Amino acid sequence: MEQNNGQEEVVAVRKNGDGSIVEFKLSSGNVVDYLTAQSMVRNNEINNLQLFRGRDHEEHLRSVPDGRTDNNLDSLPTF
C-alpha cells in the first residue's frame, strides 16, 4: 500500500481515553506518535495528511479534504 512516490499511508489510528488520536499505524507497519507524524508530514513522508493551525494556535493533523469521509482520520480503524 506504500505509494510509488515513497510516501506512506495512515492505515489505522490509536486514540486516548478522550478520543484524541495519539498514534498512527502506517502502511509499512510502523507506528508513530503524533509529533513524529507531524514531522513526517512536513517532510512529505506521509500521503493524504496535512498540517493546519487550530484555534488554539497549535499545529494539528487532518486528512487532505477530498470530498470523501471513508479516509478521514476519525473513520480509520483503530489498533
Side-chain angles (χ1 to χ4, degrees):
M1 194 152 139
E2 191 166 321
Q3 300 295 303
N4 291 335
N5 57 11
Q7 290 181 315
E8 300 220 49
E9 299 273 347
V10 174
V11 296
V13 296
R14 178 172 285 144
K15 297 179 181 184
N16 64 15
D18 295 328
S20 298
I21 295 171
V22 294
E23 290 183 317
F24 299 89
K25 186 172 194 174
L26 304 177
S27 50
S28 64
N30 290 336
V31 174
V32 297
D33 63 31
Y34 201 91
L35 291 176
T36 300
Q38 286 177 321
S39 178
M40 291 178 76
V41 168
R42 266 188 224 95
N43 294 327
N44 294 314
E45 297 174 53
I46 300 179
N47 195 33
N48 293 329
L49 282 189
Q50 68 185 102
L51 290 165
F52 73 99
R53 195 161 300 279
R55 290 188 190 107
D56 59 3
H57 304 290
E58 298 292 324
E59 282 190 323
H60 301 279
L61 291 168
R62 67 177 171 200
S63 301
V64 173
D66 60 3
R68 293 172 43 196
T69 57
D70 62 312
N71 62 356
N72 290 350
L73 291 176
D74 281 332
S75 299
L76 292 176
T78 56
F79 68 100

